[in-house]
Each structure stands twice: as structure tokens, then as C-alpha cells.
Amino acid sequence: MNASVNMPITRERIVNASWELLRECGIEQFTMRKLAKQLDIKAASLYWHFQSKQQIFQFLANEIAQKVVLSAQNEGDWKEQLYRFGNHFRNQLEKYPCSAHLMIQTVPSGAQYIDLINHMLKIVEPLPISDRRKFSSIACVLNFVLSFELDKYQQHKNDVAMKGVRQEIEPTVGNLPEPLRRMYLNGVFSDLGSDSMFQTGLKILIFGIEQLSMTEKET
Amino acid sequence: MNASVNMPITRERIVNASWELLRECGIEQFTMRKLAKQLDIKAASLYWHFQSKQQIFQFLANEIAQKVVLSAQNEGDWKEQLYRFGNHFRNQLEKYPCSAHLMIQTVPSGAQYIDLINHMLKIVEPLPISDRRKFSSIACVLNFVLSFELDKYQQHKNDVAMKGVRQEIEPTVGNLPEPLRRMYLNGVFSDLGSDSMFQTGLKILIFGIEQLSMTEKET
DNA sequence: ACCTGAACACCGTTCAAGT
DNA sequence: ACCTGAACACCGTTCAAGT
């Protein structure tokens, strides 16, 4: 598959091939044997460079975290920063296949992951709330962005699975309960992973964090 | 394993055994062969009752969704309702093993899942915002609760994996960056899946949704 | 109708052996 | 140091055959 015939196998080449394989097959079809084939070696050879499949995934997740932190920029007050960061984070996730899956499956022990958390903590640092609440706040944002991408991936998978099998879902529209039915007919579901939905969610979170700080101040 | 020697295999018995197996092994070790062994039958037999492992998972997820909707009660204004529902949802998820995993992996096509969405939509129905924003709002809440349980599960897995290997994490505390270091020393991480963290997250979301409605009204 | 034996086409991982 | 052959201990799923 790979053009390079005799280039030595490096960690970097394995990582590149992994991204390619993830893009082609998705994470559930990602296989050590397929990965090896892509590099024109045998599966067993991979274990000289990485001690397990899980470790490869960890490495990929760390790479994403690193990219996110490195290319992030902080300007403006905490609200602007958090808003910008949310969007930036999402943009980065979209560049890598299965990125959200990788980050969720991963134990957040890598240095890059820690940097990511810390970067977010610094944004909410000036807020007049307890450390616990700061942490809760950024956990919300992090989980929101990740699960947003996760949902989009799931939905895309459903879409390709349902290809042409629309007749199985169409008849059920009739007995959808209200208000779901109305929303479905208004096409609310067609923009399930859309940008506007993301912006709304992020807005909710930032509004909420702001409000949390304000009520805290009073007490 | 099961006491019943000659009871016929029913869908219900398979489902019960599945819950048991999930509780014992977790979702990643859930195996058709193990499930069969628990019922004193062969793996192949399961395929007469369910067409695939995925379908069993779907069924379990639907069962959770159903329980959540059925035992939910709506009192008070939308804020109270949403707050109560968030807690109720989480309580139900905690009763079932791997519940969040099941619900995330699942395609939200089952009637029970639809009822769940619809139940939440009804709560935010009186809000003066567009349908799209209503949908975004409840998606946020849903994802929050699910990813909260997901994180807790992950963290628990890490804990048992790290059992007695503390010395590998302890030395790194020294070079944790600020403000993460301070928070770690203050024990913020010890209550990672705690109730107070959940309440804070939920509060943020509800505050945020409220704020969203207020700014919408102005325009 | 319901269950099983036996197989198929895979997995991740290990390890002695090769170069 | 780096790679492979061959195996181990599994998977989910199918299907002819049994009762």
C-alpha cells in the first residue's frame, strides 16, 4: 500500500499509517493486521515499536491533545477565550479521524493531556469560584466538545447504514409523539451535528459558568 | 451458573443474564460465549433469540430508556423539572452496569429512546426559544449525564488498573503545571465522579439554558 | 420450535527463530 | 536491532444437523 518500499519502520510511520487506517476503516475496524499490511510488514512486527494496540491509540490521542494546546491562542477575557477555545478544540478534532473516540478511550495520564486540562483551567482561573467548580466547568466544556463529535460520528455511521432504507423510518414519522414530531417535520434533526448546534451548546455552557460565578459572588 | 436447570431460554432470561454479565465483566469483556455459559447453553443458541450481540445491547439500552421515562415525574417549572430529571436520569443509569456505554453505542431509533427525547423536549417546551435551541439544550443535558457516567466508569477502570502502582504517578506530581498542581494537592481529583460535581455541571447547564432564553427574548 | 457441533473468518498478542 | 512464522487463546456469526 505504502509507496516506500524499503524505508525503515519508525514509530512515526506507524502513526501516520494509523491515521490513514482510522480514516478508511473507522476505529471499530482498526486492526493490527490491517495496520501492518498498510506498512508492508507483519502484525507481530508492530509489537517491537508499540507494546499494544491500546498504546498506539494513547499515542494518537496525545498527539491530538498536543496539537490543540500548541495552536491555541488566548486573547480577550475568559468568556472570549473559552468560546474561542471550544471552537478551536472542535476544529482540531475534526481534522483527525475518530479523534473523539481516541480521546475518550484514553486515560488522561499523558503529559499532553495534562497540558490540555491545564490550559483550560488557566482560562477559568480568574473566575471567583472554588477550585472544584472551576474543574467542573472545564470538564463540562471538554465533555461537551467530545460528545458532540462522538454523536456526529455515530450519526454518520447510522446514515451510511440506513442508505436507501429510508422506507423503514418514514412510516414511523406518523406516530412520533409531540413535540418531537413537529421538530422532525421542521427539519431540526437534519442539522444534528451542525455548527449552529455546536455554537448554541457552547453558549449555554459559557452562560451557565458565568451565572455560576455570579451567584457564588453573592454568598 | 444459573440455578434453573431446565427452564426454557427466553428473551427475558437472556436479558437478565446480560445484566449480570455486564456487572461482572464490564462491556469490553462481554462475550456471547460467556453469556451462553451463564445460561448453560451454547453460544450459537443465543442467535435464535437475538440476531446479534449488538441487538442485545440495543435491547438493554431501550430497557434503560424505558425505565427512565416511566419513573420520571414532572412537577414545578421547567428549571425544577430539568434539574429533577437530570438527577433522576443519573440515578437510573447508576442502577444498571455500563448503562452509559450502552446508551451511547446505541442508535436512538427505539421507541423508548424516542420517548426519552420527547420527555425532555416537553420540559423545555414552554421556553421562548426556537425549536433548534430547545433541541440543543436537551442534547446538552443528555450528553452531560451520559458522559459524566462514562467518565466515572473510565476512572474506576483506571483505579483498579493502577492498584498499588501509585509510585508511577506520585513522582510526576512534582512537575504538574499550575494551576493543575494546586488543584491536585487540594484533592479536587478525588471527587471526580462525585455528586457535587454532577450538581455543579447540571446547574451550569440549566443556568445557561435560562440565560439563552433571556437573551433570545430581547431580540 | 429450539438447541448444538463444527466450522469460518477473523481478532490481539507472544515468542522462538531468523537476519 | 528489527522482523517473521507459527502458534495461542480467544472472538462473532452461520448453518446443517439434531431433538
Side-chain angles (χ1 to χ4, degrees), chain A residues 4 33 55 95 138 164 193 215:
Chain A
S4 49
R33 286 170 160 89
Q55 226 213 32
K95 286 189 189 162
I138 65 136
T215 60

Side-chain angles (χ1 to χ4, degrees), chain A residues 140-157:
Chain A
C140 279
V141 174
L142 211 150
N143 277 331
F144 166 72
V145 180
L146 287 179
S147 55
F148 188 86
E149 287 301 310
L150 223 61
D151 282 358
K152 222 175 58 179
Y153 183 80
Q154 269 284 351
Q155 219 233 330
H156 176 259
K157 244 185 14 183

Side-chain angles (χ1 to χ4, degrees), chain A residues 104-109 114-115 117-118 121-122 125 130-137 139-140 143-144 147-148 150-151 154 157-158 162 169 176-183 186-192 196-198 200-212 215, chain B residues 104-109 114-115 117-118 121-122 125 130-137 139-140 143-144 147-148 150-151 154 157-158 162 169 176-183 186-192 196-198 200-212 215:
Chain A
I104 277 187
Q105 287 193 347
T106 265
V107 283
S109 62
I114 285 176
D115 286 347
I117 305 277
N118 203 56
L121 281 175
K122 277 195 263 184
E125 182 72 338
S130 70
D131 278 357
R132 291 185 136 71
R133 297 201 150 185
K134 283 177 192 166
F135 191 75
S136 292
S137 300
C140 279
N143 277 331
F144 166 72
S147 55
F148 188 86
L150 223 61
D151 282 358
Q154 269 284 351
K157 244 185 14 183
N158 295 352
M162 291 287 179
I169 194 83
L176 275 180
E178 294 295 347
L180 226 191
R181 195 179 119 88
R182 161 172 49 92
M183 293 198 181
N186 285 349
V188 172
F189 296 101
S190 62
D191 72 348
L192 244 168
S196 80
M197 203 172 146
F198 180 80
T200 303
L202 196 53
K203 214 183 275 184
I204 288 173
L205 286 172
I206 294 174
F207 275 153
I209 296 169
E210 187 178 32
Q211 203 63 26
L212 190 75
T215 60
Chain B
I104 278 187
Q105 287 192 347
T106 265
V107 284
S109 61
I114 285 177
D115 285 346
I117 306 276
N118 203 56
L121 282 175
K122 277 196 263 184
E125 183 71 339
S130 70
D131 278 357
R132 291 184 138 70
R133 297 200 150 184
K134 283 176 193 168
F135 190 75
S136 292
S137 300
C140 278
N143 277 330
F144 167 71
S147 56
F148 187 86
L150 224 60
D151 282 357
Q154 269 284 350
K157 243 183 19 182
N158 296 351
M162 290 289 180
I169 194 83
L176 276 180
E178 293 295 349
L180 226 192
R181 194 179 118 88
R182 160 172 50 93
M183 293 199 182
N186 285 349
V188 172
F189 296 101
S190 61
D191 71 349
L192 244 168
S196 80
M197 204 173 145
F198 181 80
T200 303
L202 196 53
K203 213 183 275 184
I204 287 173
L205 286 172
I206 294 175
F207 274 155
I209 295 170
E210 186 177 33
Q211 204 63 25
L212 190 75
T215 59

Side-chain angles (χ1 to χ4, degrees), chain A residues 49-219:
Chain A
H49 302 275
F50 286 96
Q51 64 179 276
S52 69
K53 177 176 165 177
Q54 188 56 50
Q55 226 213 32
I56 296 180
F57 284 169
Q58 287 267 2
F59 192 93
L60 299 177
N62 283 341
E63 207 167 79
I64 297 173
Q66 190 176 28
K67 265 284 174 56
V68 173
V69 177
L70 284 183
S71 57
Q73 46 190 352
N74 344 15
E75 293 164 13
D77 62 355
W78 73 269
K79 282 179 80 170
E80 280 177 74
Q81 279 190 52
L82 204 50
Y83 190 74
R84 203 193 311 279
F85 178 81
N87 277 286
H88 170 69
F89 188 17
R90 175 175 171 239
N91 288 339
Q92 293 296 320
L93 287 181
E94 271 175 341
K95 286 189 189 162
Y96 299 89
C98 308
S99 45
H101 282 263
L102 290 169
M103 301 213 66
I104 277 187
Q105 287 193 347
T106 265
V107 283
S109 62
Q112 297 88 342
Y113 209 121
I114 285 176
D115 286 347
L116 180 66
I117 305 277
N118 203 56
H119 182 92
M120 296 180 77
L121 281 175
K122 277 195 263 184
I123 295 178
V124 295
E125 182 72 338
L127 287 176
I129 51 177
S130 70
D131 278 357
R132 291 185 136 71
R133 297 201 150 185
K134 283 177 192 166
F135 191 75
S136 292
S137 300
I138 65 136
C140 279
V141 174
L142 211 150
N143 277 331
F144 166 72
V145 180
L146 287 179
S147 55
F148 188 86
E149 287 301 310
L150 223 61
D151 282 358
K152 222 175 58 179
Y153 183 80
Q154 269 284 351
Q155 219 233 330
H156 176 259
K157 244 185 14 183
N158 295 352
D159 281 357
V160 294
M162 291 287 179
K163 206 68 160 283
V165 202
R166 281 265 176 264
Q167 61 272 30
E168 265 199 70
I169 194 83
E170 286 293 3
T172 50
V173 172
N175 43 18
L176 275 180
E178 294 295 347
L180 226 191
R181 195 179 119 88
R182 161 172 49 92
M183 293 198 181
Y184 180 86
L185 294 173
N186 285 349
V188 172
F189 296 101
S190 62
D191 72 348
L192 244 168
S194 74
D195 187 61
S196 80
M197 203 172 146
F198 180 80
Q199 303 304 332
T200 303
L202 196 53
K203 214 183 275 184
I204 288 173
L205 286 172
I206 294 174
F207 275 153
I209 296 169
E210 187 178 32
Q211 203 63 26
L212 190 75
S213 329
M214 289 170 69
T215 60
E216 184 108 337
K217 222 188 280 182
E218 289 169 14
T219 58

